[in-house]
Amino acid sequence: MSSPVDVIVVGAGNRGENYSGYAVIFPDRMRVVAIADPRDFARKKLQARHKVADENTFNDWHCIAEREKFADAVLICTPDRLHKDPAVALAKKGYHVLLEKPMAVTEEDCKEIVEACIQSGVMLTVCHVLRYDPLIHRIKGLIDSGLIGDVIHIQHLEPVGFYHFAHSFVRGNWRNEAESSFALLAKSCHDLDLIHHWAGGRRCIKVSSFGSLSHFTKENKPANAANRCLDCPVEGDCAYSAKKIYLDQVKRGGVGWPVSVICSNSVPDIESVTEALRTGPYGRCVYECDNDVCSNQVVNMEFEGGLTAALTMVAFTEEICERKTSIYGSKGELSYNGHEIKVFDFLTRKTTKYTADTRVPGNFGTGGHGAADYHLIDSFIAAVKNKDPSRIRSGPKETLASHKLVFAAERARLENRVVFCGDQCDAES
């Protein structure tokens, strides 16, 4: 039996814990040999799960870069602004890199990561997990088969979810652009990557975008509301109450996301969640936070050949991240509701439904992107094992091109103009 792929986990939070779970299910394919994270609880939790030796646990990834190469690959799951440095340094050491999205928070840093990986001859997988979702992957296959003819227009909705947005983008890690990144990059680089992917290599010519922060501002704070939900006399009438989102969930026995996030330094229970809401960022009134990222944004694109596309990202939805897509072709219309695909054929005037196998081994991906997370890490490990980059659906050049499209769209919003992409959004650049 061949030896497993040895990986180092840099960032032992939600995403690092999730991807490394692959080694628990398939110890013959992947083995976690080192962990780096400045938080003692998160690091030791992952260390115990994977039985990592003390000498291979670090509170700083620089310690790994200073050593001789001792693994095959690295999983970089640090906060957005801490992606570039470890990605570049560890690629130069010869590690294949799985990198959480977004690649980095500036276009220049994204380019530097790609150049480091290419020059070092290592594989780069950026975690655009939606590409690995079995149903969404089926959409690409149906388009490429010519089933709906020439693609004329793509309409794509990203419904973030009302309490998901409050958790991540008002109270949480991605609330403030200076500390993380703008919302289109943090949340919807997935979606622009898909549109770019479905466009089939056609270059985006121009882009416009509009959006702003709505509702979650001090002006909308209810009368008599307190600065923290645990102290608030009108909390019962607030849909964004931290007591409803976190405390009520743990009282029902729910200890997964998002409760697990607010108790990153302890096991989530009623006492630890209550303390987190009393003293931490997730107990703040949503109208009294330092958030400044867009809660709703639209992006309009024109690609070569007349293909147009529109993305809508909105916070105020019932469903959480259940994308809705309509793709209009010259021979038919494809629609996707997050659960199944339908294609209406203009010639026969009949609708055909398409599905895909979304089962995964064990309980992998619970609380994450489920089957998509599984297929992403499975593809990466297989690519490293077999020295076969063709298994990677989100490699360096195309991922850089879709990131450039995100930066162009945000520039269009900020400068209130149409941005002509030129070569900057070219998949071959």
Side-chain angles (χ1 to χ4, degrees):
M1 183 181 294
S2 60
S3 59
V5 172
D6 286 342
V7 305
I8 299 167
V9 179
V10 177
N14 180 269
R15 305 306 292 154
E17 184 176 0
N18 193 41
Y19 292 130
S20 65
Y22 186 88
V24 176
I25 301 172
F26 297 111
D28 58 325
R29 300 183 194 176
M30 176 178 133
R31 178 170 55 201
V32 176
V33 298
I35 300 162
D37 194 295
R39 300 165 301 170
D40 288 344
F41 179 82
R43 186 180 65 253
K44 290 177 180 178
K45 179 183 177 183
L46 213 59
Q47 178 187 9
R49 187 182 191 194
H50 296 285
K51 300 179 175 59
V52 175
D54 287 342
E55 61 266 25
N56 284 346
T57 60
F58 312 93
N59 59 15
D60 190 327
W61 65 265
H62 289 88
C63 299
I64 296 168
E66 291 167 0
R67 287 178 52 171
E68 291 297 317
K69 182 172 178 282
F70 64 100
D72 303 298
V74 59
L75 315 183
I76 298 177
C77 305
T78 53
D80 296 354
R81 288 187 172 271
L82 303 179
H83 283 182
K84 192 264 285 189
D85 288 345
V88 169
L90 296 173
K92 289 180 177 179
K93 294 287 290 189
Y95 293 103
H96 299 292
V97 177
L98 182 140
L99 178 62
E100 251 306 322
K101 62 88 186 166
M103 295 174 69
V105 299
T106 69
E107 189 171 326
E108 293 70 25
D109 284 354
C110 290
K111 291 177 181 176
E112 188 174 343
I113 291 170
V114 168
E115 289 170 1
C117 290
I118 292 174
Q119 290 175 6
S120 301
V122 300
M123 286 180 273
L124 171 65
T125 292
V126 177
C127 296
H128 284 309
V129 295
L130 296 181
R131 286 205 188 200
Y132 297 83
D133 181 282
L135 275 165
I136 291 177
H137 185 57
R138 186 93 193 258
I139 291 174
K140 176 62 172 171
L142 293 172
I143 292 172
D144 290 348
S145 74
L147 186 65
I148 62 171
D150 295 330
V151 176
I152 309 300
H153 180 69
I154 300 169
Q155 193 169 15
H156 185 71
L157 169 67
E158 156 66 306
V160 182
F162 73 101
Y163 77 82
H164 178 10
F165 191 89
H167 167 74
S168 296
F169 298 94
V170 179
R171 295 176 169 121
N173 294 336
W174 295 274
R175 71 192 183 279
N176 186 284
E177 184 175 342
E179 293 186 17
S180 57
S181 58
F182 53 95
L184 193 67
L185 182 66
K187 189 72 186 81
S188 295
C189 66
H190 273 322
D191 304 283
L192 282 171
D193 179 71
L194 281 183
I195 290 172
H196 188 268
H197 187 48
W198 291 329
R202 280 182 274 186
R203 182 171 58 87
C204 184
I205 299 170
K206 53 189 174 182
V207 58
S208 65
S209 183
F210 310 93
S212 61
L213 169 60
S214 301
H215 187 68
F216 297 110
T217 63
K218 290 178 172 58
E219 292 75 20
N220 289 308
K221 185 178 181 179
N224 303 318
N227 289 343
R228 286 192 171 270
C229 295
L230 292 185
D231 305 321
C232 186
V234 297
E235 168 272 328
D237 296 322
C238 180
Y240 304 100
S241 160
K243 290 175 67 176
K244 292 184 176 71
I245 295 173
Y246 307 109
L247 199 54
D248 287 357
Q249 178 172 318
V250 79
K251 286 179 179 178
R252 295 191 297 267
V255 294
W257 183 93
V259 172
S260 58
V261 174
I262 76 169
C263 294
S264 61
N265 294 316
S266 64
V267 175
D269 54 28
I270 292 176
E271 289 74 21
S272 63
V273 169
T274 300
E275 180 62 20
L277 298 186
R278 181 174 290 117
T279 61
Y282 293 96
R284 294 179 295 175
C285 173
V286 291
Y287 307 103
E288 285 288 353
C289 294
D290 58 341
N291 58 303
D292 61 8
V293 299
C294 289
S295 58
N296 53 292
Q297 189 165 352
V298 295
V299 180
N300 299 308
M301 294 150 277
E302 182 179 348
F303 290 80
E304 291 174 323
L307 165 63
T308 54
L311 164 69
T312 298
M313 181 277 288
V314 61
F316 307 98
T317 63
E318 175 186 359
E319 292 187 330
I320 296 178
C321 304
E322 294 284 354
R323 272 82 172 178
K324 304 288 189 297
T325 304
S326 294
I327 302 177
Y328 304 91
S330 58
K331 294 182 179 179
E333 175 184 336
L334 182 152
S335 60
Y336 169 66
N337 64 2
H339 305 284
E340 68 176 5
I341 303 163
K342 293 181 180 179
V343 174
F344 178 79
D345 187 288
F346 295 159
L347 180 62
T348 64
R349 300 192 179 186
K350 292 181 179 179
T351 298
T352 304
K353 294 182 180 179
Y354 296 88
T355 59
D357 187 358
T358 58
R359 294 173 297 177
V360 296
N363 61 349
F364 186 92
T366 302
H369 302 97
D373 280 340
Y374 167 76
H375 287 292
L376 187 151
I377 188 67
D378 184 65
S379 296
F380 176 70
I381 294 302
V384 173
K385 182 68 175 178
N386 298 289
K387 299 179 175 60
D388 181 9
S390 69
R391 295 174 181 261
I392 296 171
R393 300 176 191 169
S394 51
K397 288 188 176 181
E398 193 176 359
T399 303
L400 178 59
S402 70
H403 273 64
K404 287 180 178 181
L405 183 54
V406 179
F407 290 115
E410 184 67 359
R411 190 159 57 251
R413 184 186 76 87
L414 293 173
E415 298 175 4
N416 195 28
R417 67 182 180 91
V418 174
V419 168
F420 290 79
C421 295
D423 293 330
Q424 65 185 348
C425 300
D426 188 347
E428 299 303 320
S429 63

